[in-house]
Amino acid sequence: MTPDIFAALVSLRPSKNFSYEPEVGGYAGINYDTEANGDTCPTEDELKTELTRLEKEYTDTEYQRKRVEEYPTWETQLDYIYHNGIDKWKTDIVDPIKAKYPKPS
C-alpha cells in the first residue's frame, strides 16, 4: 500500500493518540489529541516532507515486493533444496527472479 498522510503521521508520532478522517482529507482530516500526547501535531510541511520520504522509500523497495510475489512458498523452496541442492536452487529459482527484478543501484 502506498504511503499516505496517515502513514506519515504514524512515522513522525508513533504511539500517539490521533485519528484521521480520509473523507475530510489532507491536513484537515487529522484529529490530534495534543493534551493526551503532551506535544503538538506535526505541521503540514513536516507531514509533506515525511510523506515524500516515505514515498521515495516505497518506490526504492518496489523490486523487493515484486520478488516476494514471485518466489515460491518456503515449503516449495525447501523441498527443491532437499531434492536438488542449494546451488541448483540458486540458479533455478533465486537468480532468475533477481535478474527479473534487479536491485537499483
Side-chain angles (χ1 to χ4, degrees), residues 2 10 12 19 21 28 32-33 44 47 62 83 87 93 99:
T2 57
V10 169
L12 289 172
S19 62
E21 299 177 52
Y32 193 84
D33 192 341
E44 193 167 0
L47 284 168
E62 180 180 23
H83 291 289
D87 290 336
I93 295 178

Side-chain angles (χ1 to χ4, degrees), residues 9 12-13 16 27 32-35 37-43 46:
L9 187 53
L12 289 172
R13 298 289 196 275
K16 297 293 182 167
Y27 195 73
Y32 193 84
D33 192 341
T34 303
E35 187 175 314
N37 292 329
D39 61 6
T40 59
C41 184
T43 66
E46 289 173 321

Side-chain angles (χ1 to χ4, degrees), residues 51-82:
L51 183 55
T52 299
R53 186 192 71 77
L54 291 173
E55 288 170 339
K56 180 180 180 337
E57 183 179 273
Y58 183 82
T59 301
D60 290 349
T61 57
E62 180 180 23
Y63 76 98
Q64 293 174 342
R65 291 186 302 281
K66 288 184 175 184
R67 285 180 182 180
V68 166
E69 291 173 8
E70 285 226 18
Y71 283 124
T73 65
W74 281 109
E75 293 85 357
T76 301
Q77 292 185 60
L78 289 172
D79 187 61
Y80 196 91
I81 290 168
Y82 177 80

